[in-house]
Amino acid sequence: MARDLETALLRTFVTAVRAGSISRAATALGQTQPALSQQLRKLESVVGRPLLHRSPSGVSPTRAGAELLPYAERILSLSAQALTETGRALTGRCGIGLLEDLAASRLPQALADLARLHPGARLEVLSLSDSAMREAYDGGRVQLVLDEAPDLPGPARWTVRRPLVWAVGQGVDVTADPLPVVLFSGTCSWRTSVLETLERADRPWRVAFESNSLVGVLAALRAGLGVAALMPANLEPAMACHDAGGLPTLPDVELGLARHPRSDGDPLIDAVETALRRMI
């Protein structure tokens, strides 16, 4: 008998990974925790492999889960777009500014799928510094910006909270004193919250490596230089932290979307905003 991946099960899995917690995912989906856990076990049975590492501090994808995640997100995105956009041709242009950590996730693929459904639409995805993003937003090159809420170039239309997870470099001892930390350089709320979390937990730390890009941070982790805080979608399976008590629980990050006021009522930009909200 052929095996099928039910969209409801995939949605449960994706929500659990995004939330970093079974209980938070259950709340987001309006389900009980036992019901959601049963759906996850059913999906794991269909796939034939464990998809989530479970610990008292939350959940993170296994290697099989990390491999399934981009397919699951794309299936859900295509399903939603097929239901809402079939028979409606979208045209025009939309510029989208994304936080680099989101630009490196599955969102660009979802936007590419949307553009494929509508050949008359032109989408441009940009990942820029805060000052350059504000200039692009004010100048009309970018109509939508999805970023950390404090860094948005305009008022937030909506916000969401998403977890951060610890990524551990190969061979790094999470009980080391001081703990080697890989950080995003510069001043940002993300960096500050990570260091404040370590301070509150009375964990001595040292900066082992800094980079102003996600590519640089991931390279440092692969080289085994320390630990870092990442969004779950950017966590490589080999970097997952399996020592639940070895590191303090990280705070959530607040993401938000700003939309240029002159774009109100544009069907293409409405559709892109909807896609972003579904995928984030």
Side-chain angles (χ1 to χ4, degrees):
M1 181 181 295
R3 294 183 299 170
D4 292 319
L5 292 172
E6 299 178 29
T7 55
L9 301 182
L10 293 176
R11 183 171 293 104
T12 296
F13 166 66
V14 169
T15 304
V17 172
R18 289 178 186 166
S21 161
I22 298 293
S23 61
R24 286 199 293 264
T27 299
L29 293 172
Q31 299 185 22
T32 65
Q33 188 169 333
L36 190 137
S37 295
Q38 184 178 10
Q39 290 180 28
L40 290 171
R41 287 193 295 270
K42 182 178 179 181
L43 180 60
E44 289 177 322
S45 176
V46 172
V47 174
R49 298 167 67 186
L51 298 174
L52 295 172
H53 292 296
R54 296 165 173 84
S55 72
S57 62
V59 296
S60 61
T62 63
R63 180 174 295 275
E67 292 170 352
L68 176 64
L69 184 60
Y71 293 104
E73 291 182 322
R74 192 172 183 187
I75 289 168
L76 292 174
S77 175
L78 287 171
S79 174
Q81 290 170 18
L83 289 173
T84 59
E85 307 300 340
T86 299
R88 181 171 66 147
L90 298 174
T91 60
R93 181 194 171 278
C94 179
I96 308 107
L98 293 180
L99 176 71
E100 183 191 7
D101 297 73
L102 298 173
S105 68
R106 324 301 175 198
L107 285 177
Q109 182 63 64
L111 295 173
D113 289 335
L114 178 62
R116 183 178 302 160
L117 286 173
H118 301 283
R122 177 190 166 201
L123 304 184
E124 181 181 16
V125 178
L126 300 173
S127 181
L128 305 170
S129 67
D130 290 344
S131 58
M133 189 70 76
R134 181 173 297 278
E135 183 178 347
Y137 180 82
D138 292 341
R141 181 180 179 186
V142 168
Q143 287 73 45
L144 301 171
V145 177
L146 185 57
D147 201 343
E148 287 189 80
D151 299 329
L152 290 172
R157 284 172 66 92
W158 45 264
T159 61
V160 293
R161 301 193 70 84
R162 292 293 178 258
L164 293 175
V165 295
W166 287 110
V168 181
Q170 184 175 4
V172 174
D173 179 5
V174 298
T175 65
D177 186 3
L179 180 70
V181 182
V182 176
L183 294 171
F184 288 93
S185 56
T187 57
C188 68
S189 58
W190 195 317
R191 174 190 175 110
T192 301
S193 65
V194 169
L195 297 182
E196 288 179 347
T197 296
L198 292 172
E199 294 287 354
R200 284 194 298 270
D202 293 325
R203 286 297 308 271
W205 54 271
R206 65 178 178 86
V207 177
F209 187 90
E210 293 181 83
S211 176
N212 66 350
S213 73
L214 177 63
V215 171
V217 169
L218 290 174
L221 291 169
R222 296 187 193 108
L225 297 184
V227 303
L230 298 178
M231 298 189 72
N234 296 324
L235 181 70
E236 297 177 1
M239 298 174 183
C241 179
H242 305 307
D243 183 358
L247 295 169
T249 301
L250 289 163
D252 292 343
V253 60
E254 186 178 26
L255 304 174
L257 181 128
R259 177 167 174 169
H260 201 286
R262 291 199 298 270
S263 70
D264 285 345
D266 186 305
L268 173 61
I269 298 174
D270 288 345
V272 173
E273 180 181 350
T274 299
L276 290 174
R277 190 158 194 174
R278 284 173 175 156
M279 289 295 293
I280 193 61

